[in-house]
Amino acid sequence: ERKQKMSPVCTEHPILDLTVLIEMYGDDSRETIHNALSGFMQSAPKYINTILDASAIQQLAALASAAHSLKSIAALIGANQLAEICRQLEESARMAEWQRLASVLQTLPESWLRLQQQLGEQLQQLERSDG
């Protein structure tokens, strides 16, 4: 009787999991974390824009490529939710599954916004603490 439509994105993925970043770099220093997060904040918007632009003009190869790149850098810093969205976008684009692609694309702006907020807060905390 209770048929709820599941969101196409797994919201159980944390938005930002710094343990992934720390394990990846093998270093939990403020400087390392700050550099990785700020580097991601600088490069990610380029990929987000490419994904949105490519979807608007139905360039599946460009969309899949940008989603693949963003998935990789998101996974490196522990942005698991965004990485999962990108994985689904890449897969949908490669298989030309337009309906699924459109559905997953709708989740991208909100997830990106929430990630930016968390990254901003994290960077502020890192800048405030003196070690």
Side-chain angles (χ1 to χ4, degrees):
E1 190 65 51
R2 287 182 61 216
K3 274 196 173 176
Q4 283 190 327
K5 198 166 185 228
M6 290 295 292
S7 143
V9 175
C10 297
T11 46
E12 66 261 17
H13 288 284
I15 294 174
L16 186 61
D17 180 359
L18 289 182
T19 58
V20 174
L21 170 73
I22 292 165
E23 285 172 15
M24 189 69 63
Y25 286 87
D27 179 0
D28 65 355
S29 72
R30 269 183 330 139
E31 187 180 3
T32 297
I33 294 170
H34 189 281
N35 288 344
L37 296 182
S38 56
F40 175 80
M41 286 279 276
Q42 287 170 355
S43 57
K46 175 183 73 176
Y47 295 112
I48 299 268
N49 291 334
T50 301
I51 289 168
L52 297 174
D53 292 347
S55 74
I57 57 172
Q58 301 189 346
Q59 288 287 329
L60 290 179
L63 195 156
S65 174
H68 178 81
S69 299
L70 184 55
K71 173 186 73 178
S72 301
I73 63 170
L76 279 175
I77 65 149
N80 297 340
Q81 196 176 90
L82 182 63
E84 175 59 18
I85 289 171
C86 289
R87 186 191 66 73
Q88 292 183 28
L89 286 173
E90 179 185 6
E91 194 175 273
S92 303
R94 292 201 191 286
M95 299 174 82
E97 294 177 348
W98 293 101
Q99 211 168 351
R100 179 174 175 224
L101 185 64
S103 176
V104 177
L105 268 170
Q106 288 179 336
T107 66
L108 182 62
E110 186 190 344
S111 178
W112 171 234
L113 194 65
R114 289 170 52 204
L115 177 59
Q116 282 179 296
Q117 289 168 343
Q118 283 206 6
L119 286 168
E121 289 165 16
Q122 196 64 52
L123 287 167
Q124 281 182 340
Q125 283 177 15
L126 289 165
E127 287 158 9
R128 274 200 306 265
S129 60
D130 294 327

